[in-house]
Every structure is written in C-alpha cells, then in structure tokens.
Amino acid sequence: MIAPSVLSADFLNLGRDVAMINNSQADWFHVDVMDGRFVPNISFGLPVIKAIKKQAQKPLDVHLMIVEPEKYFQDFKDAGADILSVHIEASTHLHRSLQAIKALGMKAGVAINPHTPVSLLADIINDTDLVCMMSVNPGFGGQSFIENTLHKIKELKRIIVEKGATTLIEIDGGVTLQNAASIVAAGADVLVAGNTVFSASNPTQMIADLKLISK
Ligand code: DX5
Ligand code: ZN
C-alpha cells in the first residue's frame, strides 16, 4: 500500500493536493503531527486535519510525533483520524494507549524511532494494528533512508509471524523509487512517501509507479 505524506503537500493548494491523492492509486493519507517537543519541528494540528477529512475519500493515517499523545485521542478521532499512531518513545503506558485508541473506533499504531530496537514490540504486537517504523529521524520530510531499517523490518516481520499477529508494517521516511522494492522485499506492507511524491513532476504517476513496486 502507498500512503502519500501530506507534510510535503503545497499548503496553499491543499485542496488540490487532497484531490490528487483521492484520484490516484494511493491507499491512505499519511498525516504528520509534530509538537516541537517530541521532535524539533512543528507541523500542523487538528483544524488542518478536520479540513483534509472533509474532502478525503481514503483513510487518514495520523502519525503523532507529540509528547503525552494520550491527552488528545478523542480530539484526533473527532478530527477524522482512522488510524492513530503514537510513538513508543513517548508512551509510558503503551498498552493502555492502544486500548484507548481502539475503544474510540480507530486502528491503533505504534511508531518507532530508528534507534529503538523492534524487540521492544514483541509483547505488544498482538494489540498493534500498525507499526510505523521510522526510516529517518522524525521531524522533517525529504531526508535519506537509513539502511539499517531493512534489518529491522525483517526482525519485526519475524516477531509478527512468531506471535501470529496481523500487524501491518509501515515504513516512514526516505522512500524512493530506487529503494521501494528492497523495502517491500524485507517485509513492509505500507510505504509512506512525501518528498518522492510531491517533488515529482507528475505526483499521480509517481504514486502509480510506487504502487506497482509495492504489489
Ligand atoms: C517524518 C515524517 C514523515 C515524512 C516523510 O518525520 O514522519 O512522514 O513526511 O517524508 P519523506 O517521504 O519526504 O521522507
Ligand atoms: Zn510520518
């Protein structure tokens, strides 16, 4: 599956870019929320997500790069999130958070930074709908893919199979036409793509090209 990252969209023409994603082969909208505390950048928040939701015809995959994410689950549900991911590094009570997200009717995701071992997910994997594995340090679009992620994907896949879980693996950061095939071969189910899609001369075609590789 392909999830274009709205972070790289043209915010002056957000309606146009949302329509482009609607009319493309993309599967989800990837929506990055940054608070300037968990990550050294601030992106956008609830009012923008609400606006995207009005027009979006595909699920909103909301990636929270914020501290104390549990304070805002209801707000993100109300804004239109379909999948809500919290960082393992920002969650003291991850199990409780995942249950709370699901109780609100959303799919529950865990995002994990490049330095955090995937073995930490073993005892929570059966409660996790999606792992958003960071393949760059979170905070900015347009960075280069960290190659060690490929090992982490394989290890996570092993854990998922071992535990009989149905968790999807999403790779977030630095995905390009060049590395997409190896990421999928390692075991990824969902590719996030910001810069690769929105800096392309034909974003719709780029989504189709990525989609072909991810099948
Ligand atoms: C980074 C964000 C990513 C970002 C990916 O902190 O979580 O979703 O938008 O952008 P690209 O594909 O440009 O690396
Ligand atoms: Zn993201």
Side-chain angles (χ1 to χ4, degrees):
M1 287 190 275
I2 305 297
S5 175
V6 174
L7 186 64
S8 294
D10 176 356
F11 295 141
L12 266 185
N13 291 285
L14 196 49
R16 181 201 66 192
D17 286 354
V18 169
M20 183 279 291
I21 295 174
N22 279 340
N23 296 321
S24 76
Q25 291 181 43
D27 298 275
W28 298 343
F29 288 79
H30 186 79
V31 180
D32 288 311
V33 179
M34 305 177 184
D35 65 352
R37 294 186 66 208
F38 181 72
V39 289
N41 195 12
I42 297 174
S43 58
F44 49 74
L46 296 160
V48 174
I49 297 176
K50 256 181 216 157
I52 294 171
K53 185 68 177 182
K54 276 190 195 152
Q55 215 187 320
Q57 293 162 8
K58 298 173 181 182
L60 298 195
D61 163 36
V62 177
H63 175 193
L64 297 182
M65 285 162 273
I66 67 176
V67 298
E68 300 180 305
E70 60 282 351
K71 285 188 179 169
Y72 305 100
F73 292 162
Q74 181 72 58
D75 293 326
F76 283 102
K77 169 68 184 173
D78 295 344
D82 297 284
I83 306 158
L84 195 62
S85 296
V86 296
H87 264 267
I88 186 169
E89 300 86 2
S91 304
T92 310
H93 300 285
L94 185 58
H95 183 273
R96 179 185 288 153
S97 288
L98 296 181
Q99 304 313 319
I101 291 170
K102 289 189 213 175
L104 289 168
M106 297 177 282
K107 297 276 187 203
V110 178
I112 181 164
N113 279 338
H115 74 277
T116 305
V118 290
S119 55
L120 292 181
L121 294 169
D123 287 301
I124 197 75
I125 203 72
N126 293 95
D127 300 285
T128 307
D129 295 310
L130 175 82
V131 171
C132 175
M133 188 185 286
M134 295 310 303
S135 39
V136 297
N137 285 299
F140 303 91
Q143 304 181 79
S144 309
F145 183 81
I146 298 172
E147 288 295 324
N148 184 55
T149 310
L150 295 173
H151 302 295
K152 293 182 73 178
I153 299 170
K154 288 180 194 154
E155 199 187 330
L156 178 59
K157 191 79 189 180
R158 213 168 24 241
I159 294 170
I160 290 170
V161 170
E162 237 173 63
K163 298 272 182 181
T166 53
T167 317
L168 295 175
I169 303 178
E170 174 179 66
I171 300 304
D172 189 8
V175 173
T176 64
L177 269 187
Q178 286 69 43
N179 62 22
S182 56
I183 296 169
V184 172
D189 304 292
V190 186
L191 303 179
V192 173
N195 186 56
T196 292
V197 165
F198 286 99
S199 71
S201 53
N202 184 341
T204 310
Q205 184 59 45
M206 179 56 73
I207 292 169
D209 293 347
L210 288 168
K211 182 82 186 176
L212 202 62
I213 295 174
S214 77
K215 271 179 184 164

